Amino acid sequence: MDKNRHLQRQLDMKRSLLDQGYLDEQFIQLEELQDDDNPDFVEETVTTFYNNSARFLQNIEHTLGDCPIDFPKLDNYMHHFKGSSSSIGATRVKNECTRFIEYCQAANAQGCVRTFLQVKQEHAILKAKLETYFQMAKSRIAAGAPSLCRSKNTSFAEFASYRKYKLFRKSDIVYRYLK
Amino acid sequence: MNPSNGKGSVSMASSSGGWKAGDVVLDQFPAGLRVLVVDDDPTCLVILEKMLRACLYEVTKCNRAEIALSQLRENKNGFDIVISDVHMPDMDGFKLLEHIGLEMDLPVIMMSADDGKNVVMKGVTHGACDYLIKPVRIEALKNIWQHVVRKRKNEWKDLEHSGSMEDGDRQQKPSEDVDYSSSANEGNWKGSKKRKDEDEETEERDDSSTLKKPRVVWSVELHQQFVAAVNQLGIDKAVPKKILELMNVPGLTRENVASHLQKYRLYLRRLSGVSQHHSSLNNSFVSNQEAAFGAMSSLNGLDLQTFAVTGQLPAQSLATLQAAGLGRSTTKTGIPMPLVDQRNLFSFENPKSRYGEGQQQQHLSSSKPVNLLHGIPTTMEPKQLAALHHSTPSLGGMSIQVNTRGGQSNSLLMQMPQPQSREQILNESTGSHVPRLPSPIGQPIMSNGIAGGVIGRNGIGDSGRGTLYSHVPPTSSMVSFPLNHPTELASNSFPLGSTPRISNVTSKGPFQEEVNAEIKGSAGFMPSYDIFNELHQHKSQDWELQDLQFNASQNANPVEGNLDVSPSVLVHPGYSSSQRIGQNRTASAIGRTIYSGIEGTEQGNTQIIGQNLNNLLADNPVRVKAERIPDSCNQTTLFPGHFGQEDLMSALLKQQPGGIGSTETEFDFDGYSMDNIPV
């Protein structure tokens, strides 16, 4: 039950993140890429992203602070950042980036500054949520629940035992209900 | 996800239609595709790598463009495709794109989060095969193998299926011919030829691969040397041979220089044509190179025209061929005859059809090449061009273009086209397909081969050869031009050798020489021109296509008939038949004879070439040519016996010097009509 619950919670969280638009299909794809050989792939990737994005955000902030603002440079930075965040499926962040770019191309400094704040905000929110998500995954795995990711080498025994577990749980529930 | 699904039924395996020997790679394709990913964003890099691995590709990742470039240079054949980000701090993605196109001619996919129309357009103009928008999905990556195939296919097409396939892209098959408006016969003979070639190919595959010259990495220093040499010689006079001598770089072959010259010409043309692009690139020769190369890479898709443009000999040869045939001087510029033309050239079908094709080709090539050449400081001297034109009206299209592609393609082409070209040539029953210069053959030989072949036939080879010269391994198969113009051969040492088949073209010299000494002069097209020159010269030489390399030594061999042009060089003894070229119709007859001679052998290519030549000659509206041919025939011993072509070539060549100016006009392909063949 614990394992199941873990799994369920994680799935639920993912679902909510997807629904709320924090994450998108790309994230699902990343998870699908993950496998036993690389069980922490998604987490590692997200970590890499956050490490690099912090630097980028700083650069952008500096450039925004310049006077006069170098819009092409900003455009460049933001495209890069947008590409990065969209690669991990950070939808909201990506959307804010798009808005930023629009302002940038219109050379609208105010708009840029405003949007940039939004970008940072979304970026931070998503970071927190993903951290929670990964923690869930870790605890689930620690508890022994089957991994979420596509397992290349799922042994049949493992699978069978999981199924048995599920069946057992089901029967347990039924039993309880019947009771 | 199941990446293997993505590969799906790689039609490749089936399309190869003839490549039986199929590479083992075919079966696994696209698995194992070697991809190089360049992106300064580590997140994307990691994700891409993972995705590509999931598609069963072999992935190498770099986060800096410089590192990527050096890796590519060190291992020229180590990658099949490159994926690069657009915005990178150390080097602009487009610049990298041009570098790669220029030096390695690999398909490059750009990607970025930026999906603005301008940026995407920039990618297109710089020659990117594709443009992916981030986030890149794995579905998009599953299909990138198509770009590799497409590129190879185009190269093959140009080369007329020289039979050498890289990485099992053999499937590319010679069937490209269908694109050419060759007569039906072409298709027939192509098919038969292909079959024949296929067998040969498989056997020779190893040979060809071993013969295939390793790509030369044109480093900055090397290119600088090259540019210095070209400038020293003067754009018009910059011939591969002389450039090679000036550069004095050990291990560099004439073919390498020739193909590079083509690219450079193309680049220059682009400079003049698309100043905005290049102006920015002008900061370094590299960028120039890039431009040229970029253009070149994009040329892949282009027909010979592009070839011609690239300055590679093939174009020139084509031009010359065309010029010869059509009396069109314009064609000179661009190797008007795209590879396609080559094939057409070789289409032996009735002269008429050939002509039509030749015209087409010429048009094709000429339209483009003309521009190209104009823009580019024609390396080829006008005379040469004229000569080329004269001599190989038919060839012009054919072979010349093949070579344009530059060294790489040349070798590739040479290898590939050879078998094909042979087929084509052989298939051409009437030889009217002269214009069809067997692309396979032609390719390597392209410049040379075609020229050779064509020249051989009509002696027109001169012109044709010039263009073909481009890297096409001297596969002089084309060169089989009976023209024993020994003089040129030396210069024609195209790397034709790459394709064993094509090697035939290498007609060793005879062809090359035939192409007129003038052609030689034409620095631009070098390879192709050389072929022609040689062809002329070697009228008698046996077109041994064995190695496309036009060995000057071949000069000695009279075309008589050995046109072993097997691969692509029509060197076939058919040339002997070309002897008939003397007559007006001989041009076509020659082609035919050549063709007939070749029929038996792979050398059909030469025949085709010859025929093309003939066609060119015959069809020349200018008549002058035709008339000349007979004259030349008489004079040149081309026709005696085997070398009908040689005679033609020589005749043409001879005439060319004098009549270059006039010939140019004569070769106006536009006006070219089969009916004009003075009989």
Side-chain angles (χ1 to χ4, degrees):
Chain A
M1 12 295 159
D2 257 353
K3 301 174 194 167
N4 207 18
R5 207 175 310 137
H6 278 298
L7 179 63
Q8 197 51 49
R9 270 177 36 203
Q10 190 177 356
L11 287 173
D12 286 344
M13 177 156 196
K14 186 161 86 167
R15 178 83 343 230
S16 87
L17 285 174
L18 284 166
D19 290 343
Q20 291 170 45
Y22 285 105
L23 293 177
D24 61 17
E25 231 355 86
Q26 184 70 13
F27 191 80
I28 309 288
Q29 278 209 353
L30 287 190
E31 286 209 321
E32 286 186 1
L33 278 176
Q34 193 168 275
D35 54 28
D36 279 353
D37 286 349
N38 215 346
D40 296 325
F41 171 68
V42 185
E43 188 179 353
E44 284 168 5
T45 310
V46 172
T47 312
T48 313
F49 166 71
Y50 274 102
N51 291 340
N52 287 293
S53 59
R55 191 170 37 94
F56 254 98
L57 289 176
Q58 261 184 0
N59 284 342
I60 297 176
E61 204 155 0
H62 284 318
T63 317
L64 270 177
D66 282 345
C67 195
I69 298 181
D70 186 352
F71 284 108
K73 198 171 172 191
L74 269 186
D75 191 71
N76 231 8
Y77 278 140
M78 196 40 98
H79 269 120
H80 199 280
F81 184 74
K82 180 183 171 189
S84 212
S85 40
S86 59
S87 295
I88 65 157
T91 322
R92 285 203 182 181
V93 180
K94 182 180 77 172
N95 291 340
E96 294 299 331
C97 289
T98 310
R99 256 191 289 258
F100 181 95
I101 289 167
E102 282 171 18
Y103 280 119
C104 194
Q105 284 172 349
N108 183 341
Q110 286 298 324
C112 282
V113 170
R114 259 201 324 264
T115 325
F116 180 65
L117 288 175
Q118 298 244 359
V119 169
K120 276 211 298 194
Q121 198 178 6
E122 290 294 342
H123 181 257
I125 294 172
L126 183 65
K127 185 173 182 184
K129 289 195 186 269
L130 282 176
E131 272 172 5
T132 316
Y133 178 77
F134 286 125
Q135 255 176 11
M136 258 191 232
K138 277 209 182 73
S139 58
R140 191 195 76 234
I141 289 169
S147 145
L148 258 184
C149 63
R150 181 172 52 108
S151 177
K152 267 194 328 204
N153 308 323
T154 305
S155 69
F156 184 71
E158 192 185 1
F159 176 70
S161 66
Y162 178 57
R163 280 206 67 198
K164 224 161 58 161
Y165 168 74
K166 272 176 72 174
L167 284 171
F168 176 73
R169 287 287 299 133
K170 219 182 199 179
S171 62
D172 193 28
I173 294 169
V174 169
Y175 178 70
R176 291 223 192 108
Y177 173 79
L178 285 176
K179 250 183 151 166
Chain B
M1 70 196 95
N2 189 354
S4 54
N5 291 340
K7 295 185 266 195
S9 45
V10 180
S11 52
M12 312 267 297
S14 48
S15 64
S16 43
W19 305 119
K20 329 176 207 174
D23 291 318
V24 180
V25 182
L26 280 179
D27 299 335
Q28 302 164 359
F29 192 88
L33 197 72
R34 296 160 304 173
V35 186
L36 176 68
V37 184
V38 189
D39 193 339
D40 62 323
D41 180 18
T43 317
C44 294
L45 207 55
V46 160
I47 293 175
L48 274 170
E49 188 195 12
K50 199 86 172 69
M51 286 182 172
L52 289 165
R53 290 250 158 83
C55 296
L56 299 186
Y57 297 150
E58 274 180 32
V59 188
T60 310
K61 60 179 196 284
C62 292
N63 61 350
R64 293 186 65 82
E66 296 291 350
I67 299 176
L69 259 184
S70 63
Q71 272 201 329
L72 283 168
R73 284 175 185 147
E74 283 168 27
N75 196 1
K76 269 237 159 149
N77 290 323
F79 298 101
D80 297 313
I81 189 166
V82 179
I83 302 181
S84 166
D85 186 37
V86 166
H87 299 292
M88 287 191 288
D90 59 337
M91 186 193 290
D92 185 32
F94 296 117
K95 211 177 207 182
L96 176 66
L97 166 62
E98 293 213 338
H99 269 292
I100 295 175
L102 198 74
E103 297 178 26
M104 294 120 212
D105 199 29
L106 285 175
V108 181
I109 295 179
M110 303 301 296
M111 60 175 180
S112 174
D114 192 351
D115 57 355
K117 191 183 118 184
N118 297 337
V119 187
V120 180
M121 178 66 81
K122 217 174 158 191
V124 172
T125 53
H126 281 71
C129 293
D130 201 356
Y131 191 103
L132 303 176
I133 307 291
K134 287 185 183 174
V136 180
R137 299 172 68 84
I138 194 165
E139 290 84 26
L141 294 177
K142 271 190 197 165
N143 291 327
I144 61 173
W145 56 266
Q146 63 173 299
H147 301 294
V148 179
V149 174
R150 192 176 295 119
K151 201 165 182 109
R152 300 248 176 100
K153 202 173 177 200
N154 287 336
E155 286 177 352
W156 276 353
K157 230 196 248 197
D158 295 339
L159 288 176
E160 292 274 335
H161 314 297
S162 42
S164 60
M165 290 201 294
E166 287 190 79
D167 296 343
D169 276 339
R170 299 210 184 189
Q171 312 147 10
Q172 313 283 353
K173 65 277 236 24
S175 42
E176 309 300 329
D177 299 341
V178 294
D179 300 338
Y180 305 106
S181 54
S182 49
S183 57
N185 295 348
E186 262 186 85
N188 297 340
W189 60 257
K190 268 198 283 202
S192 57
K193 209 164 166 41
K194 191 176 9 171
R195 264 175 264 121
K196 229 198 274 202
D197 291 340
E198 286 172 3
D199 294 335
E200 296 171 355
E201 281 181 38
T202 46
E203 299 160 11
E204 298 181 358
R205 188 162 323 138
D206 292 342
D207 298 338
S208 42
S209 48
T210 50
L211 287 173
K212 190 159 63 167
K213 296 198 166 140
R215 274 190 197 164
V216 171
V217 178
W218 281 89
S219 66
V220 173
E221 296 82 17
L222 203 60
H223 183 78
Q224 270 173 347
Q225 274 184 294
F226 169 80
V227 175
V230 169
N231 291 337
Q232 194 175 334
L233 289 168
I235 289 292
D236 292 342
K237 285 204 172 14
V239 228
K241 192 175 183 185
K242 293 204 184 124
I243 297 175
L244 186 66
E245 288 166 12
L246 274 177
M247 284 176 72
N248 197 19
V249 170
L252 195 68
T253 67
R254 188 150 146 270
E255 292 85 19
N256 297 137
V257 174
S259 74
H260 192 76
L261 186 61
Q262 272 184 347
K263 289 184 185 169
Y264 184 65
R265 288 225 183 94
L266 182 62
Y267 161 67
L268 292 175
R269 187 183 79 84
R270 259 182 62 171
L271 272 182
S272 59
V274 190
S275 51
Q276 58 269 17
H277 275 301
H278 302 294
S279 51
S280 55
L281 298 171
N282 281 340
N283 34 354
S284 65
F285 78 82
V286 175
S287 42
N288 290 345
Q289 263 182 332
E290 294 173 344
F293 281 102
M296 294 201 38
S297 51
S298 47
L299 286 177
N300 293 333
L302 296 178
D303 282 341
L304 291 180
Q305 294 182 358
T306 43
F307 262 123
V309 178
T310 50
Q312 309 228 346
L313 291 183
Q316 287 188 349
S317 53
L318 285 175
T320 51
L321 286 174
Q322 295 182 347
L326 299 181
R328 230 216 270 231
S329 51
T330 54
T331 54
K332 298 195 273 194
T333 48
I335 308 196
M337 313 256 299
L339 291 178
V340 178
D341 292 342
Q342 293 179 343
R343 292 212 292 213
N344 297 333
L345 285 176
F346 284 103
S347 55
F348 286 115
E349 302 184 347
N350 29 2
K352 223 191 211 187
S353 52
R354 278 192 302 178
Y355 249 163
E357 292 172 354
Q359 285 182 335
Q360 296 165 358
Q361 297 169 350
Q362 293 185 338
H363 285 293
L364 281 181
S365 51
S366 54
S367 58
K368 249 274 172 71
V370 177
N371 301 332
L372 292 174
L373 284 183
H374 291 316
I376 303 175
T378 16
T379 54
M380 290 184 44
E381 294 177 324
K383 280 203 293 191
Q384 292 177 345
L385 284 175
L388 285 178
H389 287 304
H390 298 313
S391 54
T392 55
S394 55
L395 289 178
M398 333 184 286
S399 49
I400 302 184
Q401 312 227 339
V402 177
N403 294 330
T404 47
R405 261 328 204 52
Q408 297 175 355
S409 50
N410 291 336
S411 52
L412 250 189
L413 291 175
M414 306 261 308
Q415 296 171 351
M416 304 190 310
Q418 297 220 340
Q420 295 176 357
S421 54
R422 276 191 298 173
E423 293 175 335
Q424 295 173 348
I425 300 179
L426 291 177
N427 294 337
E428 290 188 344
S429 50
T430 51
S432 53
H433 285 280
V434 176
R436 302 263 303 209
L437 284 182
S439 49
I441 304 180
Q443 306 194 340
I445 312 184
M446 296 211 312
S447 44
N448 296 332
I450 301 186
V454 175
I455 297 180
R457 297 216 301 205
N458 305 323
I460 302 178
D462 296 346
S463 53
R465 290 213 287 192
T467 55
L468 297 179
Y469 197 71
S470 59
H471 285 318
V472 179
T475 53
S476 39
S477 48
M478 305 264 319
V479 180
S480 52
F481 294 126
L483 304 176
N484 294 316
H485 290 281
T487 60
E488 293 298 342
L489 287 181
S491 56
N492 292 339
S493 48
F494 299 136
L496 293 176
S498 57
T499 53
R501 306 263 176 156
I502 307 186
S503 55
N504 297 336
V505 177
T506 47
S507 56
K508 324 282 186 105
F511 281 117
Q512 302 179 339
E513 319 249 358
E514 298 180 332
V515 180
N516 305 330
E518 292 176 340
I519 297 182
K520 285 211 260 188
S522 57
F525 290 117
M526 315 303 306
S528 48
Y529 275 103
D530 293 334
I531 300 182
F532 276 103
N533 291 333
E534 296 182 344
L535 286 175
H536 275 294
Q537 291 154 10
H538 296 284
K539 306 186 229 180
S540 54
Q541 16 184 272
D542 14 329
W543 293 347
E544 293 165 31
L545 296 178
Q546 304 127 29
D547 289 323
L548 291 181
Q549 316 189 350
F550 282 96
N551 302 322
S553 56
Q554 296 189 345
N555 306 342
N557 307 326
V559 191
E560 12 191 68
N562 304 344
L563 292 176
D564 283 339
V565 181
S566 47
S568 42
V569 179
L570 292 177
V571 182
H572 197 60
Y575 275 90
S576 51
S577 53
S578 56
Q579 300 160 6
R580 300 197 233 140
I581 299 178
Q583 318 129 30
N584 289 342
R585 275 284 169 185
T586 49
S588 42
I590 294 180
R592 286 201 218 100
T593 54
I594 297 179
Y595 180 76
S596 54
I598 300 176
E599 284 172 345
T601 62
E602 312 169 31
Q603 309 177 350
N605 300 334
T606 51
Q607 285 182 344
I608 300 181
I609 299 177
Q611 288 192 350
N612 291 336
L613 285 174
N614 294 330
N615 291 329
L616 288 174
L617 289 175
D619 295 330
N620 257 340
V622 184
R623 295 297 172 90
V624 179
K625 303 272 172 80
E627 294 170 353
R628 280 198 298 184
I629 298 175
D631 297 338
S632 57
C633 295
N634 301 334
Q635 303 154 9
T636 60
T637 53
L638 274 183
F639 299 114
H642 290 296
F643 315 120
Q645 296 185 358
E646 290 182 301
D647 292 335
L648 279 179
M649 297 288 286
S650 56
L652 289 172
L653 290 173
K654 286 184 189 167
Q655 304 193 343
Q656 291 181 3
I660 292 185
S662 55
T663 50
E664 298 190 76
T665 52
E666 291 174 340
F667 283 104
D668 187 350
F669 273 91
D670 295 336
Y672 191 71
S673 64
M674 304 281 291
D675 297 328
N676 292 341
I677 302 175
V679 179

